[in-house]
């Protein structure tokens, strides 16, 4: 399908001022006086338009986007079908509250999620606004259905910034520092992290985690194990094969809800519709958000009907959950993923990006590990010839790329991971040009 409108912006990188330009600097000064200091920004440039794989700033600079607003604009920003669906819906009604007078698009999103998510068992869905809100609701559902309270999460996990999800998130600064006390009954288990755990197999790492859970929590106290199938903020850590299936199996045998937090990995991002699909893992509950609605705020919990329906009527909801504009956008996103074969596109992006990163690694021993799947790929950077994290190098490479018109993000417990999350709408030319810049960034960023 061709664009329903002419792109207002160029489709290639263009730098017309220094970065940030004068207009962005003016806005940054206004931000200081208007916006709470705790709300940070990665790039000092202010957006004026974004489309496909590029973003234009208020000074007329055009950036190639390797971040997708943190894995949200998977179908591209202002994707044509999303714009059309949202515009049409906005003219009909913007809100009624599904809990007051419901509407059909909410049902359709639920039906499609029930079909698209792993497993062909009977499922139900509830819609919310943010990833954190959906994670909280998954925990509520698991507690209500099991009559148990404890929740197990993992090292390096990120599940959000609300009180409960902050307790579930691993990293103190910036997410938790000064914000305690934290919610009780949240326990942390060791992950499978091949690069840093001496190459434990998936089965060995699962046995280690399960042993700790059994000793420190006890299966009969445990409502849910919540895990990102590939960790996002924690550093794009891909557990060794067998780790997720073994955990899911143990949960099934012990009446514990296995909850996949696919907020970052969902919707074609990893070269499967969901990252759980990769190893045939069927979660009891799956949490989705980010890529679900092309930039409109929407999230969901989808799962086994017997668990989802265990909650009393009125026990789940929220004023805006499943807002009609967001539902219209989500349906357009799901159509776009299917019609434009974006799952395959993500796999192709993986090949291109990993090849580029391997050729950088051959020349540069500071690239310690290349990992990830689909259009969710990262490099972990270390001091030469060691495994010591090199966060300053990650920052230097990212800053160089920003100045040269490429949006890249960092992450990781040690801040030493560069992550690449391009929109699946990015062209091969844009991708190639962006990685030319990344390669230059490594060549010009001196020993950290
Ligand atoms: C971003 C993220 C969240 C939180 O989502 P918000 O919409 O920011 O609340 C939760 N889990 C994972 C894995 C995420 O990447």
């Amino acid at each position: 399908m061709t664009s329903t409108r002419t792109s207002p912006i160029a489709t290639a990188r263009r730098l017309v001022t220094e970065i940030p330009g004068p207009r962005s600097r003016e806005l940054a000064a206004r931000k200081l006086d208007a916006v709470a200091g705790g709300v940070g920004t990665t790039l000092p440039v202010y957006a004026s338009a974004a489309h496909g794989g590029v973003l234009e700033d208020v000074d007329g600079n055009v950036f190639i986007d390797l971040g997708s607003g943190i894995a949200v604009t998977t179908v591209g920003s202002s994707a044509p079908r999303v714009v059309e669906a949202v515009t049409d819906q906005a003219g009909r009604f913007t809100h009624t509250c599904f809990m007051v007078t419901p509407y059909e698009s909410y049902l359709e999103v639920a039906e499609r999620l029930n079909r698209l998510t792993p497993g062909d068992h009977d499922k139900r869905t509830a819609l919310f606004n943010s990833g954190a809100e959906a994670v909280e609701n998954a925990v509520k559902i698991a507690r209500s259905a099991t009559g148990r309270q404890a929740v197990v999460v993992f090292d390096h996990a990120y599940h959000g910034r609300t009180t409960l999800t902050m307790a579930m998130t691993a990293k103190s600064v910036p997410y938790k520092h000064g914000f305690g006390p934290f919610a009780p009954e949240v326990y942390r288990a060791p992950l499978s992290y091949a690069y840093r755990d001496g190459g434990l197999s998936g089965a060995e790492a699962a046995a280690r985690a399960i042993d700790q859970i059994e000793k420190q929590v006890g299966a009969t106290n445990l409502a849910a194990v919540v895990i990102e199938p590939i960790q996002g903020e924690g550093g794009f850590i891909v557990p060794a094969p067998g780790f997720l299936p073994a955990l899911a199996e143990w949960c099934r045998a012990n009446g514990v809800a296995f909850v996949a937090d696919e907020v970052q990995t969902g919707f074609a991002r990893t070269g499967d519709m969901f990252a759980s699909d990769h190893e045939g893992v069927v979660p009891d509950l799956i949490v989705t958000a980010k890529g679900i609605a092309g930039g409109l705020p929407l999230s969901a919990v989808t799962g086994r009907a017997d668990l989802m329906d265990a909650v009393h009527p009125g026990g789940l909801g929220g004023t805006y959950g499943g807002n009609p504009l967001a539902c219209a956008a989500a349906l357009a996103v799901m159509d776009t993923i299917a019609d434009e074969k974006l799952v395959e596109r993500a796999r192709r992006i993986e090949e291109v990006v990993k090849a580029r990163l391997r050729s950088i690694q051959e020349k540069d021993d500071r690239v310690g590990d290349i990992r990830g799947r689909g259009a969710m790929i990262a490099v972990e950077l270390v001091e030469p010839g060691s495994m010591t994290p090199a966060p300053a190098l990650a920052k230097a490479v990212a800053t160089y790329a920003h100045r040269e018109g490429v949006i890249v993000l960092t992450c990781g417990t040690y801040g030493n991971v560069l992550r690449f999350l391009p929109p699946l709408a990015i062209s091969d030319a844009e991708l190639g040009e962006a990685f030319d810049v990344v390669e230059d960034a490594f060549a010009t960023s001196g020993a950290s």
Side-chain angles (χ1 to χ4, degrees):
M1 178 175 151
T2 51
S3 177
T4 53
R5 66 195 179 109
T6 6
S7 168
I9 57 182
T11 53
R13 185 168 62 106
R14 183 179 75 211
L15 298 173
V16 295
T17 70
E18 72 280 14
I19 304 294
R23 180 82 182 111
S24 277
R25 288 203 302 272
E26 227 174 272
L27 294 172
R30 250 169 80 193
K31 173 181 180 284
L32 282 180
D33 289 334
V35 179
V39 182
T41 54
T42 303
L43 264 78
V45 298
Y46 280 72
S48 69
H51 186 70
V54 297
L55 178 145
E56 181 167 349
D57 77 6
V58 289
D59 291 292
N61 302 297
V62 179
F63 294 74
I64 300 176
D65 182 11
L66 299 183
S68 301
I70 317 189
V72 169
T73 52
T74 301
V75 296
S77 188
S78 294
R81 285 188 217 222
V82 172
V83 171
E84 204 177 298
V86 170
T87 307
D88 176 62
Q89 179 60 45
R92 291 188 295 122
F93 60 94
T94 52
H95 175 82
T96 62
C97 188
F98 188 78
M99 300 180 304
V100 179
T101 48
Y103 38 89
E104 186 175 351
S105 57
Y106 187 118
L107 309 185
E108 200 174 336
V109 171
E111 286 162 356
R112 291 223 218 164
L113 284 172
N114 295 347
R115 274 203 305 275
L116 282 172
T117 50
D120 44 21
H121 51 287
D122 195 19
K123 290 179 218 156
R124 302 284 184 273
T125 287
L127 300 180
F128 305 98
N129 302 288
S130 68
E133 191 190 359
V135 170
E136 292 226 4
N137 276 279
V139 170
K140 283 165 65 175
I141 292 161
R143 284 178 170 163
S144 175
T146 60
R148 305 170 180 178
Q149 294 185 349
V151 176
V152 161
V153 291
F154 289 83
D155 287 334
H156 312 287
Y158 182 85
H159 297 293
R161 296 171 178 267
T162 58
T163 302
L164 176 58
T165 57
M166 186 170 56
M168 296 167 70
T169 289
K171 195 173 177 177
S172 174
V173 177
Y175 308 123
K176 305 167 79 160
H177 176 70
F179 298 144
F182 302 108
E185 289 304 315
V186 175
Y187 300 89
R188 197 164 305 283
L191 188 74
S192 163
Y193 186 170
Y195 182 61
R196 290 193 178 276
D197 67 10
L200 281 188
S201 72
E204 288 163 342
R208 177 177 68 174
I210 288 165
D211 184 58
Q212 182 171 317
I213 295 167
E214 285 177 338
K215 298 227 164 51
Q216 297 185 10
V217 188
T220 54
N221 300 311
L222 186 55
V225 166
V226 183
I227 188 163
E228 300 154 85
I230 298 175
Q231 282 190 334
E233 307 305 297
F236 284 21
I237 302 165
V238 185
F243 181 74
L244 295 170
L247 275 180
E249 189 51 47
W250 179 84
C251 286
R252 191 162 303 116
N254 288 279
V256 175
F258 181 80
V259 182
D261 178 348
E262 294 235 21
V263 168
Q264 193 154 159
T265 49
F267 297 98
R269 173 58 58 188
T270 65
D272 271 300
M273 197 59 189
F274 297 97
S276 298
D277 291 327
H278 215 81
E279 286 191 83
V281 170
V282 178
D284 297 307
L285 302 176
I286 179 166
V287 182
T288 54
K290 291 198 167 102
I292 193 175
L296 276 86
L298 185 71
S299 63
V301 181
T302 301
R304 273 169 46 194
D306 59 322
L307 300 182
M308 297 294 294
D309 284 342
V311 178
H312 52 280
L316 302 174
T319 306
Y320 293 114
N323 169 272
L325 300 176
C327 285
L331 295 172
V333 164
M334 293 184 232
D335 286 343
T336 304
I337 289 172
D339 293 352
E340 295 182 8
K341 301 197 169 24
L342 293 185
V343 167
E344 283 110 274
R345 178 68 188 141
R347 291 185 185 190
R348 165 82 187 134
I349 289 173
E350 172 175 348
E351 283 169 20
V352 172
V353 171
K354 281 191 169 164
R356 293 299 301 258
L357 293 173
R358 274 191 221 106
S359 87
I360 295 173
Q361 188 180 37
E362 277 162 22
K363 294 173 292 197
D364 196 328
D365 63 355
R366 300 170 301 174
V367 176
D369 193 25
I370 299 169
R371 58 179 179 247
R373 287 200 174 115
M376 181 173 183
I377 305 291
V379 285
E380 177 159 357
L381 305 181
V382 291
E383 303 292 345
S386 78
M387 286 193 25
T388 309
L393 175 61
K395 193 160 194 280
V397 170
T399 304
Y400 178 96
H402 298 166
R403 296 230 170 86
E404 293 298 319
V406 176
I407 299 174
V408 301
L409 306 173
T410 60
C411 65
T413 295
Y414 316 105
N416 65 327
V417 177
L418 272 177
R419 58 169 154 175
F420 305 103
L421 290 163
L424 303 181
I426 199 168
S427 70
D428 281 343
E430 287 158 352
L431 203 56
E433 193 174 322
F435 277 89
D436 290 346
V437 169
V438 171
E439 193 167 345
D440 289 347
F442 274 95
T444 58
S445 300
S448 53

